[in-house]
Amino acid sequence: RACFNMSFEGDAAAPVLPTEEVPPPPPSDAVTTMETDTVQPVPDPTPTPTPAPEAETEAAQAVVMKPEEVVEAAKVPAAAPQTLPASEEAYDPENATVDDDDDEDQDEDMGTVTSPVLRSSGPIKREEECSDKPLDVAIPAHLAAVPPLVQPLVPNVSAPSATPQYPGPDRYEARIAHDMYDTEAWASLLHDAHSHNIDHIREMYERFLWVFPTSARHWRAYIEVELARRNYNKVEALFVRCLRPVPNVDLWRTYVQYIRLVNGDVRDADLTPSQKDNIIKAFEFALEHVGMDISSAGIWTDYLTFVKTMRTSGSFEDSQKMMQTRKLYQRAIEIPMHGLEATWREYDAFENNLNKLLATELLKMWGPKYTKARVVYRERKVLMDGLSRTQLARPPRGSEKDEGQLAMWLKLLAFEKQNAQSIDPAVLRARITFTYNQILLHFYRDPEIWNEAAMYLHEHLNNPETATVFFERGLVALSSNPLIHFAYADYLEAAKKTQEAREIYERLLKNNSSALVFVQYMRFARRCEGVEGPRKVFKKARAADSCSYHVYVALAYMEYHVNKDPKVARNLFEAAVTKYPSNTDLMQHYLTFIEALNQENNTRVLYERFLAAAGDNPKWTLEVMNQFLAFEDTQSLDIQAILKLEKRKAQLFPDHDPLGVLGLVQRYKYLDLAPCTNVELESFARTSSRIHESQNKTNQKADIKIVRPDLAKMIPYRPDMQLPSSSRDRDRDREVKEREGRDREGRDRDGKDRDGRDREGRDRDGRDREGRDRDGRDREGRERDGREGRDRDGSDREGRASDGRDRDARATGAR
């Protein structure tokens, strides 16, 4: 649902998205209109130049597209911006590392949608953002009770026509007709549509988004198609249709960038106070809805950069800017998101650059909150690493991939419910609600998640308004699913809102008029409207094509057990049997009902009636006969009647109990008491089975015609008789001999190969042995040479010592 729609009279309300330079368009007036339910397409405007604004106060005022606000009209500045601001210009990867793991998971079925808008990153949220306190703005009457965060509306999409005006290739259209959730076929259709005109592209995206209304990347692709053609009124209408129902960071970041564009926020631009205020409102609006996402760091970084780079004049504005930046940092460091450590370092540097003494106190105060958020972020990141954030929402199909993804989402949900960060109850409620909304982006067609989310919010968080909104959104997502409708109707009935619950059943009957819906509607009507309530519903059910015997049986039992009126109940059974004469399940219910009335004669008449109606259906005849016998055994006082009925059964089914012993056991047993042991009973059953098989074989032999050979021309066999061999025998003998020859050759070849390997092994062993002997002799020679060298060295030393002594003696004699 849309809360407003913007239409521009001129063609230059905002610059085109692509990055190439374009000349600034002439200014034009912007006219804002408001709608309460749907967005009507606005035709492409005709360019009408308007004079430039006369004063700065009449400069452009972009509209922050809040569904809770009545948006004021504004004029577009003469010098409109020309390119979409790139978030990387304000985000320094050296100072803030952002994890983009979530964005790398592309849906294998759909492929990648090309987008000129930069991808977003990271998450964040604080108490003020998560509270239910609405902004101080005018709120439309139909949204007055809707908190801005916890009650998002449903995607505003309408059913396409049965015959598309611009169909795609026949082979893909046939696949879509067979299975509307065939993602590969849709990917091919969208790819083909981009080669046609804008009307073809629009129709294809509308058809796709009717089937997958929560696919954020396809909403972005659709928006960028219109942006590239300067269809700004259609761009804003698309934002209104998808922003709140699709809490995706990339989609919301695209919206913020668009608001900055239409407000003239480009490099070195001098913004007016109203333009700054509009951009800040856009950032706050985005953080309010996706600021707690683990991937929302990009929005926080863009916001911080915008605030820090705003031009100011005077000390008062400088002080306001400093306080605003500090509060924004303090909000960001409490969000478990990618790039949290980088944000903390930036905040540390920011405070120390201003005042080191004050920085010490502030960092000491906010340090524990940051530490707790960092711990929660690490645990959350582990749980989200395997999640596919681009998975398309399809009905449950039992695939292992979908079940695995759902199990991972439920683990993340259980972690959020633990409140590991010890946040306030209001913030916890908002975080859990946000997690449910994230799950529903990928399991939009799963009634289990809708019901679980609504009941948890009602029972554990004491938030019945939010539970009601989740149920309402579930009805839109699953308009023909009885499960979510029944759960919501019971929820409203328990809250004493019977009129609203009755409307739920009426809404369901418009899309699903099955017998089960009428049965549950009759039960509800009996509880809330008395005796006449279910009868009115029954009258409507009889006229429906989907009516079955179940509706008759349900009202008949209701009349008998609740209203204590067996006459009306019997009339209903009779009417059902008349309308469905061959339905055995209906007859079984009727017999059970008649037996409960304790009317023996009427019961016997009904049994005979059903036996006659069974006709050629032996299975149903046997069931009715067994039940008839059980009835006679229990209530009849005439043994002859019982014996007569058993004889009749034996004539109808002669092979069922040949000896009659099983019939005796059945007659004399009571509850779990039997006239024989279990072993005997099994023996009786085997005997009856063998007799039955023997009779069948005898019957089969009697029917078989044996063909015997003619023995007149056969020759008696003698051992010495030489029988002529046939060509087949000769061929077989030849094949046997050839096979034996090949086997013999193979064995000879294997023997030769084995002998050759053995000989090579012996040669190798001999060479190894010779090498070892040679090495030993070389080692002995080196040792002998070493000993001789040492002996020679010793002799030389002794000779030198004796020569020295002789010299000393001669010297002494000379002295």
Side-chain angles (χ1 to χ4, degrees):
R1 296 178 184 176
C3 296
F4 75 95
N5 177 37
M6 291 176 54
S7 62
F8 291 92
E9 295 179 355
D11 184 43
V16 68
L17 183 64
T19 57
E20 60 265 24
E21 295 292 327
V22 296
S28 62
D29 293 335
V31 180
T32 303
T33 60
M34 176 175 173
E35 297 174 351
T36 57
D37 291 322
T38 59
V39 177
Q40 300 295 334
V42 180
D44 291 341
T46 303
T48 55
T50 57
E54 298 179 357
E56 183 179 355
T57 56
E58 298 177 358
Q61 297 182 4
V63 180
V64 177
M65 300 169 61
K66 286 203 173 188
E68 298 82 43
E69 294 186 274
V70 177
V71 183
E72 298 180 356
K75 294 184 179 180
V76 180
Q82 300 176 3
T83 57
L84 190 68
S87 60
E88 279 71 11
E89 295 175 358
Y91 191 78
D92 185 3
E94 296 295 329
N95 297 327
T97 303
V98 177
D99 228 333
D100 285 333
D101 294 339
D102 296 321
D103 295 329
E104 294 176 0
D105 298 331
Q106 296 296 330
D107 193 5
E108 295 83 359
D109 296 333
M110 289 303 302
T112 303
V113 176
T114 305
S115 171
V117 178
L118 296 174
R119 303 185 67 82
S120 64
S121 51
I124 295 191
K125 196 85 183 159
R126 69 158 187 166
E127 296 179 13
E128 290 81 357
E129 300 173 46
C130 300
S131 66
D132 291 339
K133 181 180 179 181
L135 297 177
D136 187 15
V137 294
I139 300 178
H142 71 288
L143 292 177
V146 181
L149 174 65
V150 299
Q151 295 188 350
L153 304 177
V154 296
N156 185 4
V157 291
S158 57
S161 60
T163 56
Q165 185 177 359
Y166 302 98
D170 293 340
R171 61 182 182 279
Y172 300 124
E173 292 288 354
R175 291 174 58 179
I176 296 300
H178 175 70
D179 179 13
M180 65 184 298
Y181 297 99
D182 189 337
T183 54
E184 293 182 357
W186 277 116
S188 300
L189 287 173
L190 289 173
H191 179 75
D192 175 76
H194 279 272
S195 62
H196 296 80
N197 59 29
I198 184 62
D199 293 330
H200 191 145
I201 297 174
R202 286 171 182 162
E203 183 185 66
M204 194 59 67
Y205 271 108
E206 291 292 342
R207 291 176 58 194
F208 176 86
L209 293 172
W210 166 252
V211 181
F212 302 103
T214 57
S215 178
R217 70 184 190 277
H218 291 90
W219 280 107
R220 290 179 61 214
Y222 191 7
I223 289 169
E224 288 158 5
V225 167
E226 300 293 356
L227 271 174
R229 292 163 174 80
R230 296 183 174 222
N231 298 325
Y232 305 116
N233 57 329
K234 295 186 180 297
V235 169
E236 290 152 7
L238 289 173
F239 274 131
V240 171
R241 292 171 57 188
C242 68
L243 269 181
R244 294 188 65 193
V246 186
N248 177 270
V249 172
D250 291 340
L251 182 62
W252 279 86
R253 195 175 184 187
T254 303
Y255 157 73
V256 173
Q257 291 171 338
Y258 177 77
I259 293 299
R260 296 178 69 178
L261 277 174
V262 298
N263 281 272
D265 182 21
V266 294
R267 188 179 289 107
D268 299 329
D270 191 7
L271 303 179
T272 64
S274 61
Q275 291 174 329
K276 295 178 183 179
D277 184 61
N278 286 330
I279 295 174
I280 289 175
K281 285 182 180 179
F283 275 116
E284 290 292 339
F285 188 42
L287 293 179
E288 182 181 8
H289 287 82
V290 296
M292 62 182 65
D293 194 286
I294 194 172
S295 301
S296 63
I299 299 179
W300 286 97
T301 303
D302 293 345
Y303 194 5
L304 283 165
T305 302
F306 173 76
V307 173
K308 289 191 295 185
T309 57
M310 282 193 310
R311 296 184 180 181
T312 59
S313 58
S315 59
F316 177 75
E317 291 187 2
D318 290 340
S319 177
Q320 292 294 320
K321 174 181 174 180
M322 181 268 294
M323 293 297 297
Q324 189 175 4
T325 305
R326 174 178 289 152
K327 291 181 179 180
L328 193 57
Y329 269 122
Q330 292 171 354
R331 291 165 57 188
I333 61 176
E334 290 190 89
I335 306 300
M337 63 177 178
H338 301 314
L340 180 61
E341 296 180 1
T343 304
W344 172 257
R345 290 195 299 269
E346 291 178 6
Y347 176 54
D348 188 322
F350 170 77
E351 293 290 359
N352 280 283
N353 290 335
L354 294 176
N355 188 323
K356 293 188 178 297
L357 294 177
L358 180 61
T360 303
E361 296 297 328
L362 290 175
L363 294 175
K364 182 179 179 181
M365 179 189 306
W366 289 92
K369 297 181 180 180
Y370 155 72
T371 302
K372 188 175 294 186
R374 184 179 61 182
V375 172
V376 172
Y377 159 71
R378 291 176 178 175
E379 297 180 9
R380 181 192 284 185
K381 185 177 183 299
V382 171
L383 294 173
M384 298 187 69
D385 277 344
L387 290 175
S388 174
R389 304 295 293 274
T390 57
Q391 176 184 349
L392 294 176
R394 295 183 293 182
R397 300 193 173 189
S399 67
E400 294 183 1
K401 177 183 176 182
D402 292 346
E403 292 178 356
Q405 286 291 308
L406 180 57
M408 295 175 66
W409 276 112
L410 294 179
K411 286 183 181 179
L412 175 64
L413 181 63
F415 170 74
E416 298 292 356
K417 292 177 180 179
Q418 294 174 1
N419 194 11
Q421 201 173 347
S422 302
I423 54 181
D424 293 340
V427 184
L428 176 63
R429 180 179 62 186
R431 184 170 291 180
I432 293 175
T433 305
F434 177 77
T435 305
Y436 274 120
N437 284 325
Q438 291 294 303
I439 298 175
L440 289 170
L441 289 179
H442 312 291
F443 295 91
Y444 187 70
R445 308 294 186 183
D446 194 332
E448 173 190 3
I449 305 302
W450 288 109
N451 180 68
E452 204 272 339
M455 297 311 298
Y456 181 85
L457 293 170
H458 171 65
E459 296 175 359
H460 297 275
L461 300 183
N462 193 23
N463 195 348
E465 293 81 7
T466 308
T468 300
V469 171
F470 265 95
F471 272 127
E472 289 289 347
R473 294 171 57 200
L475 298 193
V476 176
L478 304 165
S479 59
S480 61
N481 184 277
L483 184 61
I484 188 66
H485 285 78
F486 295 158
Y488 187 25
D490 288 348
Y491 172 79
L492 293 174
E493 183 183 351
K496 308 299 181 183
K497 299 179 179 180
T498 56
Q499 180 59 33
E500 291 86 342
R502 184 183 299 104
E503 293 174 358
I504 297 302
Y505 285 106
E506 293 293 340
R507 288 169 58 182
L508 178 58
L509 284 174
K510 295 178 181 179
N511 301 305
N512 184 353
S513 59
S514 64
L516 179 61
V517 177
F518 283 112
V519 169
Q520 295 300 329
Y521 194 5
M522 288 192 300
R523 291 181 176 180
F524 162 78
R526 181 61 184 87
R527 293 192 299 266
C528 299
E529 301 176 9
V531 176
E532 295 299 326
R535 294 176 180 177
K536 294 178 181 178
V537 178
F538 175 75
K539 184 178 180 181
K540 184 184 298 185
R542 290 183 64 184
D545 296 335
S546 59
C547 183
S548 66
Y549 80 92
H550 303 84
V551 179
Y552 289 84
V553 173
L555 184 58
Y557 280 135
M558 199 179 301
E559 293 287 350
Y560 177 63
H561 293 291
V562 182
N563 299 342
K564 313 300 181 183
D565 193 341
K567 182 178 179 180
V568 175
R570 182 168 183 176
N571 291 339
L572 286 167
F573 273 115
E574 285 293 338
V577 171
T578 302
K579 189 174 182 179
Y580 309 100
S582 60
N583 192 294
T584 57
D585 293 331
L586 171 61
M587 296 177 184
Q588 185 67 43
H589 285 290
Y590 194 6
L591 288 171
T592 303
F593 166 74
I594 288 296
E595 289 183 9
L597 296 180
N598 202 22
Q599 299 176 358
E600 296 182 11
N601 293 332
N602 291 335
T603 304
R604 290 189 179 94
V605 170
L606 187 62
Y607 273 118
E608 293 293 346
R609 177 182 169 186
F610 285 167
L611 285 174
D616 298 333
N617 189 343
K619 180 179 179 181
W620 170 239
T621 302
L622 180 60
E623 291 181 5
V624 174
M625 185 62 72
N626 288 334
Q627 192 169 347
F628 196 2
L629 277 171
F631 168 76
E632 292 290 354
D633 290 337
T634 304
Q635 300 190 19
S636 179
L637 300 177
D638 188 359
I639 188 63
Q640 293 298 330
I642 299 175
L643 295 177
K644 182 179 178 180
L645 190 59
E646 287 184 348
K647 184 177 180 181
R648 181 179 172 186
K649 176 185 175 182
Q651 292 175 352
L652 292 174
F653 303 97
D655 300 333
H656 182 69
D657 186 13
L659 299 180
V661 65
L662 297 179
L664 292 176
V665 173
Q666 184 67 26
R667 185 199 306 174
Y668 300 132
K669 68 173 294 189
Y670 180 74
L671 299 179
D672 59 341
L673 303 177
C676 59
T677 64
N678 292 334
V679 176
E680 292 174 334
L681 184 60
E682 292 175 359
S683 175
F684 297 157
R686 286 194 297 270
T687 302
S688 298
S689 177
R690 283 195 295 269
I691 294 175
H692 180 61
E693 292 177 358
S694 176
Q695 290 177 351
N696 289 339
K697 291 180 180 179
T698 302
N699 295 334
Q700 292 175 0
K701 289 180 179 180
D703 296 337
I704 296 175
K705 182 180 180 180
I706 301 177
V707 180
R708 301 183 180 277
D710 185 7
L711 306 180
K713 296 181 179 182
M714 295 186 66
I715 301 174
Y717 172 73
R718 296 192 304 273
D720 57 345
M721 181 182 292
Q722 295 293 332
L723 297 178
S725 59
S726 63
S727 59
R728 184 181 303 172
D729 295 337
R730 289 193 297 272
D731 294 340
R732 186 168 56 253
D733 294 340
R734 185 168 55 255
E735 290 178 359
V736 171
K737 291 179 181 179
E738 291 177 355
R739 191 182 306 111
E740 292 177 353
R742 288 194 297 271
D743 294 342
R744 188 163 47 253
E745 292 176 359
R747 287 194 296 272
D748 295 341
R749 191 183 307 109
D750 294 340
K752 292 178 181 178
D753 294 341
R754 189 163 47 251
D755 294 340
R757 287 194 296 271
D758 294 341
R759 187 162 47 253
E760 290 177 359
R762 288 192 296 273
D763 295 340
R764 191 182 307 108
D765 294 340
R767 289 193 295 273
D768 294 341
R769 191 161 44 252
E770 291 177 359
R772 288 194 295 273
D773 295 342
R774 189 182 306 106
D775 294 340
R777 288 193 296 272
D778 293 341
R779 189 164 46 254
E780 291 176 358
R782 287 194 297 273
E783 292 177 355
R784 186 167 52 253
D785 294 341
R787 286 195 297 272
E788 292 176 356
R790 287 193 295 273
D791 294 341
R792 193 163 42 253
D793 293 340
S795 301
D796 293 340
R797 279 196 300 274
E798 290 177 0
R800 287 194 296 273
S802 61
D803 293 339
R805 288 193 295 272
D806 293 340
R807 283 196 300 273
D808 294 338
R810 287 194 297 272
T812 302
R815 285 197 299 272

